[in-house]
Amino acid sequence: MAHKKWVVRDADREKASAISEKFDIDAFVAFLLVSRGIDTSVAVSDFLSHSFESVPAYKFADLEEASFIIGDAIDNGERICIYGDYDCDGVTSTALLYSFFKREGADVFYYIPDRIDEGYGMNTEAIDKIHAAGAQLIVTVDNGISSIGESEYIYSLGMRLVVTDHHQIGDSLPKAEAVVNPYRPENELDFCDYCGVGIAFKLVQAMYEGDFGDLVEEYIDLVALGTLADVVPLVGENRSFVREGLKKINNNPRPALEAFVSSNGVKEYSAGEIVFQLCPKINAMGRMGDASRAVEFLISEDKKDCEYKYEQLSLENTHRQETERKILEEIENIIKNNPRLTSGRVIVIEGEGWHHGVTGIVASHLAEKYSKPALVISINGDKTARGSARSIEGFNIFEAISECKEDLIRFGGHPQAAGITLYEDKISDFRKHINEYALKNYDMLPPQELNIDLKISPDYLTLELADSLSVLEPYGAANPQAVFGVYKMKLVSVTPLKEGKHIRLELEKRGRIIRAVKFSSPYEEFPYKKGDILNLAVKISKSFYREKYYLSIQTVDIRLAETDDEKYFKEKNDYELYRLMKKAVPSLYPEREVCALIYKYLKLNGGYAYTVDDLYFRLQKHLTYGQLMLALGAFSEAGLIKKDKKISLLPVEGKVRLEDTKVLKSVRERLQLG
């Protein structure tokens, strides 16, 4: 994981103290609420309330009209097609409407486009199939708001359309009997960030004439699942969806989710566990093949059938993980042979026949690892290629791609994710142009941030605090699990776990010992040693073992206590500008004393087995990032070291004049140092 800038949240402590006293909640919890903007009595009361917050149907434009149109179609025996989407939100939306329409006696079927062959949204070939199947009314879920031409085509065939969608609206609405979308300006909503299944549930709510509690009991688990998967803010009605959905999943799950619950043996599922353990399995069906299999799983009422289908979901997800792993390994080798691919502002990497269903996930891994926007392009074999882009916070990848449209056949997306199609022979031009755009418009790539909710003494990391924090659940977007900063802890020991894949740390400060786990941190790659003074970003929770609760501390991030983020990001950018534009500043050049200091450190430690960034933070007080990188380049050119996954010292024969290396000569010329 790339180095992140730590940002400590702030809050009005007097407000927090008053809220703590008025609502009789822990002072730390009150501080967290205020820091997240929940700072009035009404807001706190609403947040802590366990009642179901439900927005009336009349506040959504066209929602009641949609309910009448569909209700009449059901009563008249019209054939209805639900047009869904292949991700978890689209799958749960489809399952929800299909189940409800069936319950109401509808002649209904569903259609989900193939991710690879058809892509997102409506298309005329699919509409032809739906028409041939006898549909008279199409109801979209999680798509349709941008299907302007397709909606006209639907009406030209004599069918009608109802659109339910949650994506942003373009310049015009599609032709339809009703268009339900939280972003319509005609709405009377205080909150717009619903996902597709949330809007589908509002439609069901508007149609149902019975008790609202019956709908919650029947369908809220599907609503919670799609809401969590789509990473919409867990505030307002979304918070109610997830809170009540988790209750159903944990206490009275539908047969499909019972198969999931019983297969894992977890005592009680949290929102995070659903996101990481179930949502990827449902998404995998759409990524690797036919998403309708996930719908079939969710709507099945037979226990044995659900157990079998859950096994298929798990197998498909394993296949997805393996496919993803192989592509990442291939990309690592490509980068090893051509490191310049990661040196620009935007990473663009292509390969033959990579599975389109996972290129977006792979791009996310690269963006996270390098803190840069990344595009992963698969060459199809027909002289065309398709790519998925993922960005970093603060860099609008859709805007950047739009500026390179001359290189592309087509593209689409939003500021954080996009897709492109182009001819194979245009990939190099596209890589060049998007990096030129990024270099021109971003003097410095936005540093990626880790929010620290509160700096805290290790004395306050207790089971009691973990228990108090439970009022903040369920966690999700806009309401993440609290991250605490624990500063200047002395590292006492490091213990490998699970064959070295994870580690357990023991740390001490003023006699207080804490033990923390860091997942996905291989023991041999951990750059800190006994006695180091460290700052940690941690999450805490309760774990249940042998009939007793224990405090669990999970390390989110870790660094040397004296780390200076501002210095690091500025100096690294100076070095990158030198590499990309030969723009040199005096602080780049490593004088003899700096080179001697770096070489002495390497000699004392027998080289260096960790990342160059880790080495920089060890020596940060004594040099700049550019000085370190250029000195290492000179050492390598002069035959003093070998740089691979680690820095190894080489035997030295005779005197070495570093100032004669091409690396340092080039910098001196740029700086006119003679």
Side-chain angles (χ1 to χ4, degrees):
M1 185 177 73
H3 186 80
K4 292 187 176 181
K5 180 179 179 180
W6 285 16
V7 179
V8 181
R9 292 180 187 267
D10 198 9
D12 186 323
R13 293 180 183 271
E14 287 186 14
K15 246 182 204 180
S17 179
I19 286 171
S20 173
E21 187 174 343
K22 180 171 182 178
F23 290 91
D24 191 27
I25 57 177
D26 185 274
F28 289 133
V29 174
F31 182 91
L32 293 173
L33 289 173
V34 173
S35 72
R36 296 175 185 199
I38 305 166
D39 57 1
T40 67
S41 292
V42 172
V44 174
S45 182
D46 288 345
F47 186 87
L48 299 178
S49 171
H50 286 273
S51 61
F52 198 113
E53 181 179 331
S54 183
V55 177
Y58 71 82
K59 292 199 171 187
F60 287 84
D62 275 7
L63 182 54
E64 291 180 321
E65 181 67 19
S67 73
F68 297 146
I69 295 293
I70 297 168
D72 287 345
I74 293 173
D75 292 342
N76 295 332
E78 294 183 39
R79 189 152 168 77
I80 301 171
C81 176
I82 300 164
Y83 196 109
D85 186 33
Y86 41 69
D87 69 1
C88 189
D89 185 21
V91 163
T92 51
S93 303
T94 304
L96 170 58
L97 281 198
Y98 179 81
S99 299
F100 178 75
F101 289 179
K102 271 288 186 184
R103 169 178 167 162
E104 295 296 294
D107 178 8
V108 61
F109 67 103
Y110 57 85
Y111 184 92
I112 298 180
D114 183 276
R115 184 187 202 109
I116 308 301
D117 296 334
E118 298 176 84
Y120 171 77
M122 305 189 82
N123 64 83
T124 55
E125 291 81 2
I127 294 167
D128 286 336
K129 292 176 187 175
I130 292 167
H131 181 248
Q136 294 158 283
L137 175 67
I138 297 176
V139 180
T140 72
V141 286
D142 195 28
N143 74 97
I145 198 65
S146 60
S147 300
I148 309 300
E150 291 82 1
S151 66
E152 294 285 350
Y153 186 63
I154 286 168
Y155 279 87
S156 75
L157 295 176
M159 295 185 289
R160 295 179 299 154
L161 175 67
V162 169
V163 171
T164 77
D165 197 358
H166 71 113
H167 294 96
Q168 293 285 344
I169 297 173
D171 295 333
S172 59
L173 294 176
K175 180 177 182 179
E177 307 300 301
V179 177
V180 184
N181 185 294
Y183 293 104
R184 288 191 63 178
E186 301 93 332
N187 295 332
E188 300 175 29
L189 300 173
D190 298 322
F191 171 80
C192 300
D193 288 324
Y194 291 87
C195 66
V197 75
I199 299 301
F201 185 71
K202 299 309 293 182
L203 173 61
V204 166
Q205 185 181 344
M207 292 180 63
Y208 188 59
E209 296 177 353
D211 185 71
F212 176 65
D214 294 340
L215 287 183
V216 172
E217 177 56 33
E218 186 75 21
Y219 302 114
I220 203 65
D221 50 354
L222 294 177
V223 184
L225 188 54
T227 301
L228 287 169
D230 222 49
V231 202
V232 290
L234 290 197
V235 296
E237 197 164 11
N238 286 342
R239 181 170 168 79
S240 296
F241 290 158
V242 173
R243 187 185 61 242
E244 297 304 312
L246 288 173
K247 286 180 187 176
K248 179 168 172 58
I249 291 169
N250 286 313
N251 298 310
N252 184 30
R254 66 180 54 239
L257 299 188
E258 185 180 0
F260 160 69
V261 170
S262 61
S263 72
N264 291 279
V266 174
K267 185 178 177 66
E268 185 173 339
Y269 281 93
S270 66
E273 286 164 334
I274 295 295
V275 167
F276 289 109
Q277 294 183 31
L278 180 55
C279 295
K281 292 182 174 71
I282 292 174
N283 274 324
M285 285 302 199
R287 289 188 181 281
M288 307 306 293
D290 183 4
S292 64
R293 294 173 297 168
V295 178
E296 291 164 8
F297 164 67
L298 290 173
I299 64 178
S300 176
E301 296 181 359
D302 182 87
K303 183 178 178 181
K304 289 291 183 186
D305 182 57
C306 287
E307 289 172 353
Y308 170 76
K309 284 183 166 65
Y310 180 70
E311 287 178 11
Q312 299 308 301
L313 258 70
S314 298
L315 288 171
E316 199 70 284
N317 190 49
T318 300
H319 178 210
R320 186 270 304 171
Q321 290 170 327
E322 183 65 17
T323 303
E324 183 185 320
R325 184 188 63 78
K326 287 179 178 177
I327 295 174
L328 281 167
E329 285 180 356
E330 197 172 333
I331 286 174
E332 282 182 16
N333 287 328
I334 292 171
I335 291 172
K336 183 179 177 181
N337 294 326
N338 186 7
R340 292 185 64 83
L341 286 170
T342 62
S343 66
R345 285 286 196 253
V346 180
I347 298 169
V348 179
I349 291 183
E350 71 271 22
E352 295 275 352
W354 288 342
H355 197 296
H356 296 300
V358 300
T359 51
I361 306 176
V362 173
S364 292
H365 284 300
L366 295 179
E368 174 71 18
K369 180 175 180 178
Y370 293 99
S371 279
K372 294 180 178 184
L375 287 101
V376 176
I377 299 173
S378 175
I379 298 169
N380 298 326
D382 61 354
K383 297 186 179 180
T384 68
R386 282 174 55 188
S388 295
R390 294 295 183 270
S391 195
I392 57 173
E393 197 65 39
F395 186 103
N396 189 323
I397 192 66
F398 180 74
E399 193 174 86
I401 287 172
S402 300
E403 291 297 315
C404 307
K405 60 187 176 185
E406 299 301 322
D407 298 322
L408 306 173
I409 298 171
R410 58 181 172 269
F411 65 96
H414 54 78
Q416 290 300 299
I420 63 171
T421 302
L422 72 170
Y423 291 110
E424 180 183 347
D425 60 7
K426 292 296 257 179
I427 294 174
S428 293
D429 290 341
F430 173 73
R431 179 186 291 111
K432 177 174 179 285
H433 294 151
I434 197 168
N435 272 286
E436 287 174 348
Y437 167 86
L439 199 57
K440 178 182 176 182
N441 290 275
Y442 292 85
D443 293 334
M444 179 176 177
L445 282 178
Q448 298 310 285
E449 297 179 349
L450 174 65
N451 285 316
I452 307 293
D453 287 282
L454 188 64
K455 290 171 69 173
I456 195 171
S457 164
D459 294 329
Y460 292 108
L461 296 179
T462 63
L463 197 57
E464 290 72 27
L465 177 58
D467 202 40
S468 298
L469 290 169
S470 64
V471 300
L472 299 175
E473 297 179 17
Y475 298 122
N479 183 44
Q481 187 176 354
V483 176
F484 296 103
V486 191
Y487 286 59
K488 296 187 177 178
M489 301 292 296
K490 183 179 180 180
L491 183 59
V492 176
S493 67
V494 184
T495 305
L497 302 173
K498 294 285 184 182
E499 300 176 341
K501 294 177 183 176
H502 318 295
I503 53 175
R504 182 173 63 241
L505 310 174
E506 187 173 296
L507 306 108
E508 180 270 336
K509 182 177 181 180
R510 293 196 293 269
R512 164 70 164 150
I513 298 284
I514 65 169
R515 293 174 181 84
V517 174
K518 192 165 194 314
F519 294 111
S520 302
S521 181
Y523 178 75
E524 68 274 7
E525 294 177 14
F526 188 66
Y528 307 109
K529 59 183 185 293
K530 183 178 177 179
D532 280 343
I533 306 301
L534 304 173
N535 293 345
L536 288 85
V538 302
K539 295 177 180 178
I540 66 171
S541 59
K542 296 189 301 181
S543 61
F544 190 76
Y545 181 67
R546 292 185 178 177
E547 304 303 315
K548 188 177 178 181
Y549 282 103
Y550 295 87
L551 178 69
S552 174
I553 303 176
Q554 179 187 339
T555 304
V556 178
D557 200 5
I558 189 167
R559 65 207 21 215
L560 292 169
E562 300 303 319
T563 296
D564 185 333
D565 284 346
E566 297 293 341
K567 183 176 187 293
Y568 165 78
F569 285 111
K570 181 190 179 303
E571 292 173 357
K572 188 169 187 178
N573 191 60
D574 286 343
Y575 174 66
E576 289 195 347
L577 289 176
Y578 171 70
R579 281 193 308 161
L580 296 171
M581 303 173 66
K582 295 304 177 186
K583 181 180 175 182
V585 293
S587 61
L588 281 171
Y589 190 77
E591 298 288 355
R592 184 180 304 227
E593 296 79 8
V594 170
C595 291
L597 181 145
I598 297 167
Y599 190 73
K600 182 179 179 182
Y601 182 87
L602 294 175
K603 201 167 183 180
L604 284 172
N605 290 276
Y608 196 72
Y610 310 107
T611 70
V612 173
D613 277 13
D614 290 321
L615 178 58
Y616 165 76
F617 289 118
R618 284 283 176 193
L619 304 173
Q620 189 181 44
K621 283 186 176 180
H622 309 288
L623 45 67
T624 67
Y625 190 89
Q627 287 171 342
L628 174 64
M629 296 302 292
L630 291 169
L632 292 176
F635 291 169
S636 182
E637 185 185 332
L640 297 177
I641 64 170
K642 180 182 178 183
K643 287 170 63 181
D644 196 0
K645 285 190 175 180
K646 63 179 183 178
I647 299 171
S648 305
L649 294 172
L650 298 175
V652 181
E653 296 181 8
K655 189 174 180 180
V656 174
R657 285 178 53 85
L658 293 175
E659 57 267 34
D660 291 340
T661 59
K662 292 179 182 177
V663 172
L664 298 190
K665 276 183 178 179
S666 178
V667 189
R668 283 204 309 276
E669 287 173 7
R670 290 285 166 181
L671 293 172
Q672 298 181 334
L673 294 176

